[in-house]
Amino acid sequence: MRLWLVVIWLFVCAAALPGGEQPLSRIAIENTTLAIDDSVHIKASPLVLGLKGENSEWVEVEFFHPNPSDDDWIGVFSPANFSGAICDPENEWQQPPVLCTAPIKYQFAKFKNDGYNRSGKGNLKLQLINQREDFSFALFSGGLLKPKLIAVSNMVTFANPKAPVYPRLAQGKSWDEMTITWTSGYNIKEAVPFVEWGAKGGPRFLSPAGTLSFNRNSMCGAPARTVGWRHPGYIHTSFLKDLWPDSKYTYRLGHRLPNGTQVWSKIYSFKASPYPGQDSLQQIVIFGDMGKAEADGSNEFNDFQPGSLNTTNQIIRDLKNIDMVLHIGDICYANGYLSQWDQFTSQIEPIASTVPYMIGSGNHERDWPGTGSFYGNLDSGGECGVPAQTVFYTPAENRAKFWYATDYGMFRFCIANTEEDWRPGTEQYKFIEQCLSSVDRQKQPWLIFLAHRVLGYSSCTYYETEGTFEEPMGREALQELWQKYKVDLAFYGHVHNYERTCPVYQSQCVVDASDHYSGPFKATTHVVVGGAGASIADSAFTTSNIQWSHFRDFDFGFVKLTAFNQSSLLFEYKKSHDGNVYDHFTISRDYRDVLACSIDNCPRTTLAS
């Protein structure tokens, strides 16, 4: 019964399309029949992309079908020579399917072609990114459920499809270390990966990189193991150590070929982290459930994750005023279609190549039955956490566990993993308490807890029907820790909306919600910030009057924290469509206020002198 309630919750409160559908899953590609028609044609241009080093370019696709219909669609395939040979029949009496590889994106032929049904002529402008292989475009009739392959285009390729692309910065395990992770088509036998870097105007250094990848057998089920499989390329990570606090560095990604030739990326830059406790302006962006979207209107942009590009673009516009990003789960909603991880890392490249992009694990990265995830649902599409923990670096002791602490100046962030058990007596519970208890609040006064599922408070309609207003077994296990260690803010995703509570403990407002708090800590303020991009349809709030729910917004948005110094913090909720602030508050607190005790967090004292 409990598992069934959890599954219902995913439909109601963490909605994407009905049932959490990935748009590519609409295509029954294994049902394809071959119906090549010489009177149909499709061609794409230009033939070669990235001649000036670009990793993203637009392609024009022209096509003609003498018997057009509303159901005709264009699929973009990569590699260009897509084949059903990789897919085994389900039983000995069945023939292998014609196709067993999903496209990386698709669009209906009539899209922006108003006269297509009459003339059969059309063209599409599609954006391609460098994904290590060539591309072709296929025209199908018969709709998405019974597709008929009727024409295939010429091949299109990037000038260097194996080039190093999409760097992702992340905090290392120490404050003076930055990690750089990127993707390429070079395995370690083909080329040696490294990073050339240094302070602006200073000497250059070379740092080696390790290389990881994974194969189809690493996936736990379909579609990741079947129609959604696409080789992820090679994931390289380099560790830049002994950085000077707040110093600016430039870097570029390199690969040395056996003949001595070096392949380079373009030059990027970042600013090193401040020393822990350093009293300076520090600005952090936090959100969950962003996903990816297509600027060309293909796939999901219109109806799956419509806010994703807006959120990404607002952060890029404000990037000079952002020091770090925390994306707390449900990263790209690949749901077993591996090509989407490249699409996502390309989308966030302007951000992740410049500031640390720290991620947490969500149900759409990890959950799969029989694999050790706390929830036994199908949300990861068979990925069972492997792409997320490989494509992105986190400073976790065990990257598969996905819980970790990271410090940035005056902040301590404790990132939990709600897809693993967090209850008392577990390994993760011990981590959470250690993370909260070990921070020096004189140097790092701002203590933040983050997790994907709502372990605190949410007035989502499903929670109302269950009577918990939280993830089952959530705050009961952790609220005493938050109160004991005086956690200022707790952030969650999973529910695709925005909500802020009063400072609340045991479902009671310890103090009234306000736009300004000062003096000693009273209780933790809980924030749901899961509206960064995935569909907000069905993530409705209860109509009941909930005492602790102070501000709600049913829209796309994200949070920005600004620490002015060790005594003053600004919280802002911004909407993604315009970047304006719609909710805010400030905290003013001296160190003696941190030391002061409140409900359930007063240490023992003695009458001895």
Side-chain angles (χ1 to χ4, degrees), residues 336-384:
Y337 290 84
L338 277 297
S339 64
Q340 304 304 286
W341 285 97
D342 288 313
Q343 300 279 344
F344 180 77
T345 55
S346 172
Q347 177 177 310
I348 66 166
E349 181 195 34
I351 303 167
S353 63
T354 307
V355 301
Y357 197 99
M358 313 301 294
I359 69 164
S361 181
N363 51 301
H364 284 282
E365 284 77 55
R366 179 62 184 89
D367 291 2
W368 192 257
T371 65
S373 59
F374 195 40
Y375 298 83
N377 56 52
L378 306 174
D379 290 355
S380 76
E383 293 181 6
C384 52

Side-chain angles (χ1 to χ4, degrees), residues 432-588:
I432 293 171
E433 181 162 27
Q434 193 278 332
C435 183
L436 298 177
S437 66
S438 61
V439 61
D440 182 345
R441 298 298 289 275
Q442 191 276 323
K443 296 180 176 62
Q444 294 175 292
W446 309 117
L447 181 56
I448 315 296
F449 176 84
L450 306 100
H452 177 63
R453 294 175 185 261
V454 183
L455 301 184
Y457 297 82
S458 167
S459 60
C460 168
T461 50
Y462 169 70
Y463 285 146
E464 178 181 37
T465 61
E466 191 174 75
T468 61
F469 291 109
E470 59 159 342
E471 190 69 29
M473 305 172 288
R475 62 177 177 267
E476 288 80 6
L478 298 173
Q479 62 183 342
E480 291 184 2
L481 293 184
W482 297 327
Q483 190 69 9
K484 177 180 179 180
Y485 297 111
K486 304 171 187 175
V487 173
D488 296 295
L489 297 163
F491 288 94
Y492 316 99
H494 201 51
V495 177
H496 300 169
N497 57 35
Y498 169 78
E499 184 170 19
R500 169 167 71 98
T501 72
C502 61
V504 58
Y505 180 54
Q506 296 179 348
S507 301
Q508 301 296 315
C509 290
V510 178
V511 294
D512 290 337
S514 174
D515 293 338
H516 178 70
Y517 303 101
S518 60
F521 169 90
K522 297 297 184 182
T524 302
T525 296
H526 295 259
V527 180
V528 174
V529 63
S535 174
I536 58 174
D538 299 328
S539 291
F541 294 105
T542 176
T543 57
S544 302
N545 182 23
I546 306 298
Q547 178 205 21
W548 43 257
S549 181
H550 173 62
F551 190 101
R552 304 172 182 174
D553 189 43
F554 192 58
D555 203 350
F556 300 107
F558 56 95
V559 163
K560 183 178 181 181
L561 299 180
T562 302
F564 295 103
N565 50 50
Q566 293 177 335
S567 300
S568 182
L569 179 73
L570 170 65
F571 173 108
E572 297 172 299
Y573 165 66
K574 298 184 176 187
K575 290 198 181 189
S576 299
H577 74 269
D578 60 9
N580 292 334
V581 176
Y582 287 81
D583 183 31
H584 73 280
F585 65 91
T586 56
I587 301 175
S588 298

Side-chain angles (χ1 to χ4, degrees), residues 42-228:
I42 179 171
K43 66 177 182 177
S45 61
L47 301 181
V48 181
L49 310 176
L51 291 173
K52 296 182 179 179
E54 303 95 333
N55 294 321
S56 176
E57 286 231 51
W58 289 81
V59 171
E60 184 166 3
V61 182
E62 299 177 8
F63 47 91
F64 170 72
H65 184 198
N67 300 299
S69 75
D70 284 345
D71 289 337
D72 295 349
W73 57 278
I74 307 292
V76 184
F77 288 85
S78 179
N81 186 24
F82 51 98
S83 167
I86 62 171
C87 190
D88 296 324
E90 293 185 5
N91 56 62
E92 60 182 305
W93 301 281
Q94 184 185 57
Q95 292 296 314
V98 173
L99 295 181
C100 193
T101 302
I104 62 173
K105 63 168 66 178
Y106 72 96
Q107 183 55 273
F108 285 98
K110 66 181 181 180
F111 181 73
K112 294 186 178 180
N113 290 302
D114 294 337
Y116 176 73
N117 283 352
R118 297 186 302 273
S119 68
K121 295 180 180 179
N123 68 80
L124 293 174
K125 290 187 176 179
L126 297 171
Q127 188 178 46
L128 298 184
I129 65 165
N130 194 339
Q131 292 186 258
R132 301 170 302 284
E133 296 284 357
D134 47 18
F135 305 85
S136 63
F137 303 81
L139 180 57
F140 293 83
S141 63
L144 302 179
L145 297 181
K146 295 182 178 179
K148 295 180 181 180
L149 177 61
I150 57 177
V152 180
S153 77
N154 53 285
M155 181 183 72
V156 171
T157 187
F158 276 85
N160 181 7
K162 292 189 174 186
V165 292
Y166 319 132
R168 287 88 72 184
L169 301 177
Q171 296 277 97
K173 290 185 178 180
S174 62
W175 70 269
D176 59 350
E177 179 181 65
M178 187 72 76
T179 69
I180 303 175
T181 299
W182 73 95
T183 306
S184 85
Y186 295 112
N187 65 39
I188 56 174
K189 294 180 180 179
E190 293 177 294
V192 177
F194 62 95
V195 174
E196 181 192 78
W197 63 282
K200 283 190 174 181
R204 313 306 292 170
F205 304 97
L206 299 181
S207 290
T211 300
L212 296 174
S213 190
F214 54 90
N215 57 36
R216 187 192 300 266
N217 292 335
S218 300
M219 301 293 94
C220 293
R225 203 176 172 102
T226 57
V227 297

